[in-house]
Amino acid sequence: MEHVALYVNDLEGARDFFVRFFGAVAGDGYHNPRTGFRSYFLTFDGGARLEVMTKPDMTDAEKGLARTGWAHLAFAVGSEAEVDRLTAELVAAGYEVVSGPRTTGDGYYESCVLGPEGNQVEITV
């Protein structure tokens, strides 16, 4: 997979979320003045990339927790203690925890928060 892309209303807010909490490095922004499209490529340790994008006149449908489509983005942070620490930091910053931290039935230690604009972000070992 080359990258994953996420449409958002608050482009800089989404960029800043992934930079602050997950150590992303943001590339230069892109702007197409003809269409109004704007984006940033965010690169994470290990080379994974996320493109956050926005454009005028997007549809902003409700994001139910159990819906079709992409469910979440998952980030491995190295230890159970780091899952706990980062989850607490996100809560202190005002983000809602959907689940965890906990050990799942299939043995993963994880939590899941509602990140920018209600998109689920999973934090795992």
Side-chain angles (χ1 to χ4, degrees):
M1 188 176 306
E2 206 289 322
H3 71 274
V4 175
L6 178 66
Y7 269 121
V8 295
N9 291 303
D10 180 0
L11 184 63
E12 283 73 22
R15 176 200 60 200
D16 295 347
F17 173 86
F18 290 106
V19 167
R20 175 180 173 188
F21 296 110
F22 296 97
V25 175
D28 294 335
Y30 169 76
H31 177 227
N32 181 326
R34 186 179 57 78
T35 65
F37 175 86
R38 294 179 180 273
S39 71
Y40 289 98
F41 273 98
L42 308 175
T43 304
F44 300 88
D45 285 346
R49 295 192 323 148
L50 171 65
E51 182 181 15
V52 289
M53 315 174 302
T54 195
K55 65 181 180 178
D57 303 322
M58 290 186 303
T59 301
D60 196 6
E62 183 178 339
K63 295 175 182 79
L65 293 179
R67 61 185 166 112
T68 59
W70 299 108
H72 60 259
L73 296 175
F75 291 89
V77 296
S79 69
E80 290 183 6
E82 185 60 13
V83 171
D84 294 345
R85 187 203 65 75
L86 184 53
T87 302
E89 183 180 349
L90 286 158
V91 168
Y95 293 94
E96 179 183 344
V97 174
V98 175
S99 65
R102 66 190 178 99
T103 301
T104 64
D106 54 356
Y108 288 93
Y109 190 78
E110 65 185 35
S111 68
C112 187
V113 299
L114 292 181
E117 301 179 28
N119 293 293
Q120 295 181 60
V121 178
E122 184 177 279
I123 307 160
T124 188
V125 174

